[in-house]
């Protein structure tokens, strides 16, 4: 393995090395690099194919995954094992996504808890992190094939509105794919960098980034000063995008042909074909006035289909999508309001996402802001291109660019099962402050041990312990009720202050540490290398520990419930529950994460009907949040 060396003060790599930029999109993903000769960002692609890889994972009957164009071919025909839009599930619990449950055509586990959501395909369970890692692995392999060199380092982009958990999940997916994720950056920031904005030292401006992709829309207002990008506001609609344009076209054609949507649903092959033709039509109309398609090419014996032809003019298309465009403009107006600005304060408008190729979209945005938009860079590559620019800065190739101080290793604390919960990821700019809430695991627990660790491994035993203290005097409450907020603050001198406070009672304690104290450059390097070598084992262990913890919690909760509510439960239910509990207990002693999750799910199925009857608040509270060791 190549030796890497990292400058602790700047976080930059000492040795010139290819770092790729990755846009991990909801619909499409791609990789870009700075071309070694031209020094310009370019998207990677095989000779005549597209640079875009559809963000879709298909599993065959043996559980083998395929990613991209091949997987896209199964969207309508094998919906239950073709996973699209995994990005929407990143860092989410079922409670977060249940209002949009109808959107997913595959099985999203609906255990109604706060624990992270999983997808079930056959008898396998996949976390959104697993699913994203399949996509990242595919991108890594493609890049290696094209560049003919190993690719191990990347900058990955995320939406500006992604929270801490979603960013961490993206980092983990990268790690699982064998990538050292040097930095997670915001998509609008990346898009601005691709236009060269913010790269001049005293460039000061306010930018609106309008991003209309396949399934999501967002607009971000950014302020750049001295090379620092600040997100002033974001707005948008996570269920609005180019796919909705396709759907409107299909509905329009169905009406013309005289077919109902129900009829279409019964013919999966036709649905798949129409979906592809509709997208084709939409793209065609971005640079033509009419689209025409002769149906006889469709193999069908429905007479309504063999006589009709699919036709659409730009005029009709614009009428169809006008209400959706109007919605995005309302979001722009709200984003401005939240930032306390008006359209005249915006210096530059950047267009991102494949759907901004639609001329009516461009016109509407430019009319709203009252100036021309920036659309010269390919809108579905612009985010990846900007990520490559950021990667180049991190590689130290862009000498003029000022690099802020960053943390060389991640900082976090120990949670249930000896897991590392990262609060400040490595490469974060300092000063920085991050807070997260935890709760207790046992009824009446009066103290909580806060153990602070540094490093990239998933189990704290493989990381470096920096400090430990006990938060005492938590008043007696049922498990899950106390709210302990832990804050990590790194000041400009690199000193870490950890504070823990129980919010209901106000008890508080803190400690100060110097994270880099006593660590040599070589040791930091070794810690980074270890985290990559062990990434796969680590993440599997983490998944197993998490499955066990969740299983144990469900057992505890169920047991409590049974003793309290015995009168509400029939003999049969009692017996079925006891059997399911026993099966789960046994599964927990084994090393098979999927088995534990299956048994947890089965216990949930059994108890759901009577739990719903009598779930009381204290018990549901105990299932919420993360737990620190008692
Ligand atoms: P995401 O950011 O969600 O991954 P993309 O930025 O790749 O998505 O945008 C994908 C969307 O762009 C799809 O709905 C696709 O049909 C649409 N699109 C791509 N090219 C064109 C075009 N020429 N005209 C209109 N829409 C297009
Ligand atoms: Mg995108």
């Amino acid at each position: 393995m190549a030796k890497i060396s990292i400058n602790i003060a700047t976080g930059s790599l000492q040795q010139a090395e290819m770092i790729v930029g990755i846009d991990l999109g909801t619909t499409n993903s791609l990789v870009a690099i700075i071309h070694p000769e031209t020094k310009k960002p370019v998207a990677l692609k095989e000779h005549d194919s597209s640079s875009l890889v559809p963000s879709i994972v298909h599993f065959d009957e043996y559980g083998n995954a395929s990613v991209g164009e091949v997987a896209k071919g199964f969207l309508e025909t094998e919906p239950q094992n073709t996973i699209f839009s995994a990005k929407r599930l990143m860092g989410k619990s079922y409670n977060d996504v249940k209002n949009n449950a109808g959107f997913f055509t595959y099985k999203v586990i609906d255990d109604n808890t706060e624990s992270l959501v999983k997808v079930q395909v056959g008898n396998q369970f996949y976390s959104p992190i697993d699913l994203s890692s399949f996509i990242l692995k595919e991108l890594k392999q493609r890049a290696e094939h094209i560049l003919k060199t190993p690719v191990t380092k990347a900058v990955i982009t995320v939406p500006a509105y992604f929270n801490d958990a979603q960013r961490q999940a993206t980092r983990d997916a990268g790690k699982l794919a064998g990538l050292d994720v040097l930095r997670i950056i915001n998509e609008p920031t990346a898009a601005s960098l691709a236009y060269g904005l913010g790269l001049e030292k005293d460039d000061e401006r306010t930018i609106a980034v309008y991003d209309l992709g396949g399934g999501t829309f967002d607009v971000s207002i950014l302020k750049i000063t001295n090379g620092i990008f600040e997100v002033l506001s974001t707005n948008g609609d996570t269920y609005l995008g180019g796919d909705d344009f396709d759907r409107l076209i299909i509905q329009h054609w169905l009406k013309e042909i005289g077919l109902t949507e129900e009829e279409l649903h019964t013919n999966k092959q036709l649905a798949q074909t129409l979906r592809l033709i509709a997208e084709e039509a939409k793209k065609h109309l971005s640079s033509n006035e009419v689209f025409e398609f002769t149906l006889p090419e469709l193999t069908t014996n429905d007479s309504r289909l063999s006589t009709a032809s699919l036709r659409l003019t730009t005029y009709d298309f614009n009428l169809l999508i006008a209400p959706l465009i109007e919605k995005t403009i309302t979001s722009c107006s709200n984003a401005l309001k939240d930032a306390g600005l008006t359209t005249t304060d915006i210096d530059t408008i950047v267009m991102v996402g494949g759907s901004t190729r639609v001329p009516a979209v461009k016109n509407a945005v430019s009319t709203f802001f009252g100036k021309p938009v920036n659309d010269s860079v390919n809108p579905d590559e612009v985010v990846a291109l900007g990520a490559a620019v950021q990667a180049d800065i991190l590689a130290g190739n862009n000498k003029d660019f000022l690099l802020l101080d960053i943390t060389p290793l991640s900082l976090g604390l120990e949670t249930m099962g000896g897991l590392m919960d990262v609060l400040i990821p490595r490469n974060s700019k300092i000063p920085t402050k991050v807070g997260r809430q935890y709760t207790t695991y046992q009824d009446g627990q009066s103290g909580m041990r806060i153990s602070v660790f540094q490093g990239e491994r998933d189990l704290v035993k493989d990381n470096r312990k920096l400090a430990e203290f006990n938060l005492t005097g938590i008043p007696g409450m049922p498990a899950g009720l106390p709210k302990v907020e832990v804050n990590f603050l790194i000041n400009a001198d690199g000193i870490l202050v950890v504070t823990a406070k129980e919010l209901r009672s106000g008890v508080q304690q803190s400690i100060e540490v110097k994270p880099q104290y006593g660590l040599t450059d070589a040791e930091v390097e070794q810690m980074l290398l270890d985290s990559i070598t062990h990434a796969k084992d680590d993440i599997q262990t983490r998944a197993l520990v998490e499955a066990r913890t969740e299983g144990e919690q469900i057992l505890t909760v169920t047991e409590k419930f049974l003793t309290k509510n015995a009168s509400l439960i029939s003999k049969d239910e009692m017996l079925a529950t006891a059997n399911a509990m026993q099966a789960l207990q046994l599964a927990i002693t084994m090393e098979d994460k999927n088995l534990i999750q299956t048994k947890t799910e089965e216990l949930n199925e059994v108890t759901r009907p009577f739990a719903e009857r009598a779930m009381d608040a204290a018990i549901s509270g105990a299932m919420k949040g993360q737990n620190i060791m008692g």
Side-chain angles (χ1 to χ4, degrees):
M1 184 178 298
K3 190 166 162 57
I4 49 162
S5 82
I6 287 155
N7 180 330
I8 299 236
T10 61
S12 67
L13 296 161
Q14 305 282 347
Q15 198 181 303
E17 179 174 6
M18 187 71 74
I19 306 177
V20 300
I22 296 181
D23 173 4
L24 181 61
T26 310
T27 317
N28 296 302
S29 300
L30 70 153
V31 187
I33 58 159
I34 298 296
H35 194 283
E37 275 129 45
T38 66
K39 306 289 176 210
K40 296 257 179 305
V42 282
L44 294 181
K45 60 175 168 195
E46 306 275 9
H47 309 291
D48 44 5
S49 64
S50 159
S51 57
L52 302 183
V53 177
S55 307
I56 303 174
V57 188
H58 169 261
F59 295 96
D60 69 12
E61 56 186 313
Y62 308 105
N64 300 316
S66 61
V67 173
E69 235 20 273
V70 179
K72 193 174 178 179
F74 292 99
L75 265 185
E76 304 280 351
T77 50
E78 293 184 26
Q80 67 291 346
N81 43 345
T82 307
I83 317 301
F84 62 95
S85 279
K87 185 174 176 180
R88 293 180 187 281
L89 300 173
M90 289 292 261
K92 297 277 177 83
S93 70
Y94 182 71
N95 283 344
D96 295 330
V97 297
K98 66 178 170 200
N99 291 337
N100 297 100
F103 173 86
F104 303 98
T105 52
Y106 43 88
K107 184 161 194 237
V108 177
I109 299 296
D110 54 344
D111 57 5
N112 252 317
T113 68
E114 300 288 330
S115 46
L116 295 179
V117 84
K118 286 177 282 283
V119 167
Q120 184 175 7
V121 179
N123 55 5
Q124 292 289 308
F125 292 81
Y126 300 97
S127 68
I129 296 175
D130 295 330
L131 296 165
S132 294
S133 83
F134 283 115
I135 297 166
L136 290 169
K137 244 180 255 167
E138 172 75 21
L139 295 174
K140 177 179 186 299
Q141 273 166 14
R142 272 177 197 233
E144 289 176 336
H145 189 245
I146 295 165
L147 297 171
K148 309 211 164 22
T149 157
V151 170
T152 58
K153 295 175 186 307
V155 168
I156 304 182
T157 59
V158 297
Y161 57 78
F162 256 29
N163 65 23
D164 207 38
Q166 293 170 301
R167 285 165 200 265
Q168 186 58 39
T170 306
R171 246 171 214 287
D172 286 348
K175 205 162 151 186
L176 192 54
L179 290 169
D180 180 8
V181 182
L182 294 188
R183 195 171 284 186
I184 297 283
I185 66 167
N186 289 329
E187 288 163 10
T189 301
S192 306
L193 285 173
Y195 276 96
L197 303 169
L199 289 177
E200 302 291 324
K201 263 222 171 76
D202 30 50
D203 186 12
E204 226 187 278
R205 69 172 82 217
T206 310
I207 310 173
V209 181
Y210 178 102
D211 183 347
L212 189 60
T216 62
F217 165 68
D218 54 88
V219 53
S220 311
I221 310 293
L222 306 180
K223 174 137 188 90
I224 314 180
T225 17
N226 299 322
I228 298 172
F229 287 77
E230 189 190 351
V231 180
L232 299 182
S233 69
T234 65
N235 208 294
D237 185 335
T238 48
Y239 288 87
L240 194 167
D243 298 346
D244 298 298
F245 295 1
D246 304 348
R247 221 163 287 133
L248 289 172
I249 295 176
I250 294 174
Q251 282 168 5
H252 173 80
W253 283 340
L254 286 180
K255 226 185 281 166
E256 287 201 332
I257 301 169
L259 268 182
T260 64
E261 286 199 48
E262 289 70 45
E263 283 174 292
L264 184 65
H265 281 308
T266 59
N267 188 343
K268 299 249 189 283
Q269 200 54 55
L270 178 63
Q272 171 82 350
T273 311
L274 274 187
R275 185 180 179 131
L276 295 178
I277 303 173
E279 187 174 2
E280 200 48 52
K282 173 185 71 177
K283 290 183 181 172
H284 183 80
L285 292 178
S286 287
S287 44
N288 299 275
E289 290 296 314
V290 209
F291 172 85
E292 244 160 327
F293 187 88
T294 25
L295 270 172
E297 288 174 32
L298 286 177
T299 45
T300 170
N301 43 23
D302 189 319
S303 64
R304 287 169 295 184
L305 290 171
S306 53
T307 54
S309 92
L310 303 177
R311 202 183 122 87
L312 191 68
T313 61
T314 308
Y315 180 83
D316 287 333
F317 175 58
N318 288 347
L319 282 182
L320 287 176
I321 63 171
L324 300 187
I325 298 181
E326 199 44 48
K327 262 181 143 176
T328 70
I329 298 299
T330 307
S331 288
C332 292
S333 160
N334 289 335
L336 282 176
K337 226 178 277 159
D338 290 345
L341 300 176
T342 65
T343 51
T344 51
D345 296 316
I346 303 297
D347 303 307
T348 312
I349 304 140
V350 171
M351 299 300 264
V352 182
S355 302
T356 60
R357 285 229 179 73
V358 174
V361 170
K362 264 186 229 182
N363 292 339
V365 177
S366 144
T367 305
F368 173 75
F369 285 104
K371 46 171 83 74
V373 297
N374 283 279
D375 61 355
S376 58
V377 180
N378 183 337
D380 32 44
E381 291 182 349
V382 65
V383 168
L385 297 174
V389 172
Q390 174 71 67
D392 197 47
I393 293 169
L394 286 175
N397 295 337
N398 199 330
K399 294 276 186 289
D400 307 333
F401 198 78
L402 164 121
L403 249 189
L404 297 151
D405 272 357
I406 55 175
T407 56
L409 291 168
S410 303
L411 296 162
L413 45 80
E414 177 177 3
T415 53
M416 281 301 299
L419 291 180
M420 171 88 173
D421 193 27
V422 172
L423 276 89
I424 300 181
R426 67 182 274 250
N427 281 331
S428 298
K429 277 185 228 154
I430 54 177
T432 182
K433 186 180 169 188
V434 177
R436 200 170 287 169
Q437 280 190 13
Y438 299 89
T439 187
T440 51
Y441 189 51
Q442 279 160 6
D443 288 341
Q445 187 177 326
S446 66
M448 195 182 260
R449 196 175 72 220
I450 309 288
S451 307
V452 183
F453 285 83
Q454 176 179 43
E456 308 312 307
R457 302 286 300 276
D458 283 74
L459 293 177
V460 292
K461 71 173 174 56
D462 300 317
N463 288 330
R464 181 170 176 250
K465 189 185 228 170
L466 292 179
E468 182 172 278
F469 64 93
N470 278 309
L471 179 67
T472 52
I474 301 173
M477 281 181 252
L481 273 197
K483 279 196 181 138
V484 176
E485 183 164 292
V486 178
N487 273 298
F488 275 38
L489 182 143
I490 305 186
N491 62 24
D493 303 326
I495 307 285
L496 169 70
V497 182
V498 179
T499 313
K501 181 177 184 178
E502 203 286 303
L503 298 178
R504 291 173 200 270
S505 58
V507 291
Q508 180 173 333
Q509 215 131 347
S510 73
I511 199 165
E512 242 181 48
V513 259
K514 265 194 188 149
Q516 265 67 264
Y517 186 75
L519 261 194
T520 65
D521 286 19
E523 283 165 330
V524 171
E525 254 174 47
Q526 193 53 49
M527 290 172 84
L528 292 176
L529 283 177
D530 284 350
S531 76
I532 297 170
T533 324
H534 297 288
K536 199 159 177 234
D537 292 344
D538 270 12
I539 290 177
Q540 276 168 359
T541 312
R542 171 184 282 271
L544 181 64
V545 170
E546 280 172 354
R548 277 190 183 142
T549 304
E550 196 185 333
E552 272 160 8
Q553 269 176 281
I554 303 278
L555 283 173
T556 314
V557 169
T558 311
E559 219 157 80
K560 265 202 224 173
F561 184 85
L562 291 182
T563 35
K564 259 197 187 168
N565 301 287
S567 58
L568 289 171
I569 304 160
S570 76
K571 266 218 179 81
D572 284 352
E573 282 175 337
M574 197 61 111
L575 193 66
T577 310
N579 284 337
M581 286 177 76
Q582 212 168 23
L584 176 56
Q585 246 146 6
L586 185 66
I588 286 175
T589 63
M590 293 189 265
E591 303 288 308
D592 183 349
K593 166 195 84 113
N594 280 305
L595 183 70
I596 301 174
Q597 282 167 334
T598 306
K599 296 299 162 198
T600 303
E601 193 45 28
E602 282 171 11
L603 177 58
N604 269 327
E605 288 296 330
V606 173
T607 58
R608 186 164 301 147
F610 54 90
E612 274 166 11
R613 259 182 262 149
M615 179 69 81
D616 83 33
I619 292 168
S620 76
M623 297 169 73
K624 283 191 185 128
Q626 302 182 62
N627 304 288
I628 294 194
M629 301 274 284

